Amino acid sequence: MAETCSCSAAPTLFFPCSGGSNVGQLANDISRQLAMEGHGKHFCLAGIGAHISGMVASAKAGSKIVAIDGCPLKCAAKTLAEANVPVTHSIVLTDWGVEKTYNLFPESELVQKNKERLLAIID
Ligand code: SF4
């Protein structure tokens, strides 16, 4: 499981909601970029929702658990709470002024701007 994706323990773990909207995909893009830049790991939220025991244990071992949600429904934060994974940072992108649409390809400028804002909060 952990050897074939990035769902292993690390100090900082990102859980994007990855929803079917611009803000859901913005959450996903931000998480992927942060992971590729070495700021933490992009974790499989679906594995938490499925209560895969090893993945839940790895998630609980993180010292920063960052839920990145697109909108106030907060699917990522709620999925983590349901599995008793303590969220240390709960980000909602619409709270940052991003309007929710159904464009699944958020602009790179939007990714960059919100990624930097998130980094400033968790660092
Ligand atoms: S938080 Fe909002 S954007 Fe993300 S999956 Fe849930 S409904 Fe979709």
Side-chain angles (χ1 to χ4, degrees):
M1 175 270 296
E3 287 73 19
T4 54
C5 64
S6 61
C7 301
S8 54
T12 302
L13 302 171
F14 302 112
F15 295 86
C17 72
S18 306
S21 63
N22 65 328
V23 285
Q25 291 308 304
L26 179 59
N28 201 49
D29 287 355
I30 290 169
S31 176
R32 288 189 301 133
Q33 282 205 11
L34 288 170
M36 295 309 290
E37 291 169 4
H39 298 290
K41 286 196 171 172
H42 174 96
F43 211 97
C44 302
L45 182 66
I48 303 301
H51 295 276
I52 306 297
S53 60
M55 294 170 78
V56 172
S58 293
K60 285 180 175 173
S63 52
K64 288 182 186 173
I65 310 291
V66 186
I68 312 174
D69 278 304
C71 79
L73 290 180
K74 297 177 76 169
C75 299
K78 288 174 183 171
T79 299
L80 290 161
E82 190 70 28
N84 296 314
V85 177
V87 174
T88 59
H89 299 79
S90 178
I91 307 298
V92 178
L93 294 169
T94 51
D95 287 353
W96 290 357
V98 187
E99 187 183 349
K100 187 176 183 181
T101 72
Y102 296 102
N103 169 20
L104 297 178
F105 297 93
E107 301 79 14
S108 57
E109 297 78 17
L110 207 53
V111 177
Q112 185 66 25
K113 179 178 146 193
N114 288 284
K115 181 189 74 174
E116 285 169 7
R117 185 168 177 175
L118 190 153
L119 259 184
I121 289 171
I122 66 168
D123 273 352

